[in-house]
Amino acid sequence: MRENREILSIVIPACNEAGNVTRTARALREAMEAEHISAAVYFVDDGSADGTWEEIRAAAGQWDRVRGLRFSRNFGKEAAIFAGLQAAAGDCCAVMDCDLQHPVEALVRMYRLWEQGFEVIEGVKEDRGRENVLYKGMSALFYKLMSAAAKIDMSRTSDFKLLDRKAVDALVSLPERNTFFRALSGWVGYRTATVGFTVQERQIGQTKWSTWKLMQYAVTNILSFTTKPLYLVVGAGVLFMILAIIQGIDSIVSYVTHRAVEGFTTVILIELIIGAIVMFSLGIIGGYVGKIYEEVKGRHRFIIAGTVGLPGREERGDDAL
Ligand code: UDP
Ligand code: MG
């Protein structure tokens, strides 16, 4: 027998996942009913251009535990995760992908750990699935930086997690706009456990991440999570001061001993290197200034154009867009 009250809220960001919504909802329903878990599924349509929203509405019609939120445009996966967490009403919330790359069976294991008293249960990739060499290299570099910043090994972490209500409340009450869910769930603390899972192959549709988008994502997350790159600027400054002192002494000695100062090439090279370092440093500082600007503006992280199945909320906007 299913309990009436929703205990587990499953948040699913979905962007152009028309082919996956029904499958995912069905797989979750089967598993939740078989395991006697009282769950509700929150699909967040992140500005899809295909029929994702219609699919979500249809799924809500078939299973009364399906809820849907629709963004007015694409605001990104982070925004979709936070919108889902804000709407979720359960005692614990899970976040998983819409393409069934995160196995439902692992979700059940997470839930059992939560029942045992763990408050933050992280999905850890045991096998990263099929990825090309460039992707692997780039993500290795990104995770090295992030791991250093977050002081935890981030290389196998994912957005697949289950959080207790306490952790969810802590996360949604954060005032910052540039969030990095993957690292923030560790930052809130609480009793943590991990669940290993093998990344499944995506059956339908395509990954939303191009290499360029991933690079932007990496830079944004580094800037929003850590100030470590600023130390690079300081480091470059110190290094160049030492070089300047050495070169300065050499120049003075040459002047005093009346040795003609040669080396036009040296001058050009030094100027080019210093120019490059200054530009690079300005870029890093500019990145942080940009983030401050974004935070200070205090714009909404997302705009909701319509909902379905959410108790107490008016359904609207289904014919817009
Ligand atoms: N996603 C989203 N907004 C975006 C990009 C992706 O909500 O702008 C969702 C997508 O629908 C999926 C999840 O994030 O449920 C993971 O995306 P994807 O499968 O494309 O990434 P990958 O698994 O290849 O890392
Ligand atoms: Mg995927």
Side-chain angles (χ1 to χ4, degrees), residues 75-205:
F75 281 94
K77 188 180 176 186
E78 286 288 319
I81 290 174
F82 276 86
L85 290 178
Q86 249 171 40
D91 294 342
C92 61
C93 301
V95 174
M96 66 192 289
D97 283 359
C98 195
D99 50 13
L100 290 175
Q101 284 190 295
H102 296 159
V104 177
E105 155 277 317
L107 175 69
V108 174
R109 275 191 284 145
M110 286 177 169
Y111 184 79
R112 299 290 172 229
L113 283 168
W114 175 76
E115 284 181 324
Q116 288 167 28
F118 288 97
E119 287 151 330
V120 174
I121 299 115
E122 311 253 2
V124 173
K125 294 176 188 170
E126 268 166 359
D127 168 12
R128 294 186 56 97
R130 269 217 318 249
E131 286 168 354
N132 69 38
V133 183
L134 182 69
Y135 188 106
K136 277 212 168 108
M138 289 300 299
S139 63
L141 179 72
F142 167 63
Y143 282 121
K144 251 206 149 78
L145 267 168
M146 283 307 293
S147 303
K151 297 188 183 70
I152 40 168
D153 177 18
M154 296 271 311
S155 65
R156 294 184 306 138
T157 54
S158 67
D159 285 335
F160 184 27
K161 299 174 195 295
L162 191 146
L163 309 170
D164 183 74
R165 170 62 35 206
K166 279 182 271 189
V168 174
D169 287 346
L171 279 180
V172 298
S173 66
L174 290 177
E176 63 193 77
R177 264 136 244 283
N178 290 286
T179 48
F180 184 41
F181 178 64
R182 201 169 290 194
L184 277 177
S185 67
W187 175 88
V188 293
Y190 292 118
R191 267 190 85 196
T192 305
T194 55
V195 161
F197 73 96
T198 307
V199 180
Q200 309 293 307
E201 288 279 318
R202 183 184 250 277
Q203 304 285 342
I204 294 175

Side-chain angles (χ1 to χ4, degrees), residues 13-15 17 46 74 76-77 80 97-99 101 135 202 206-209 213:
C15 177
E17 302 281 8
D46 183 13
N74 181 269
K77 188 180 176 186
D97 283 359
C98 195
D99 50 13
Q101 284 190 295
Y135 188 106
R202 183 184 250 277
Q206 280 182 349
T207 174
K208 308 294 170 311
W209 300 97
K213 218 176 152 189

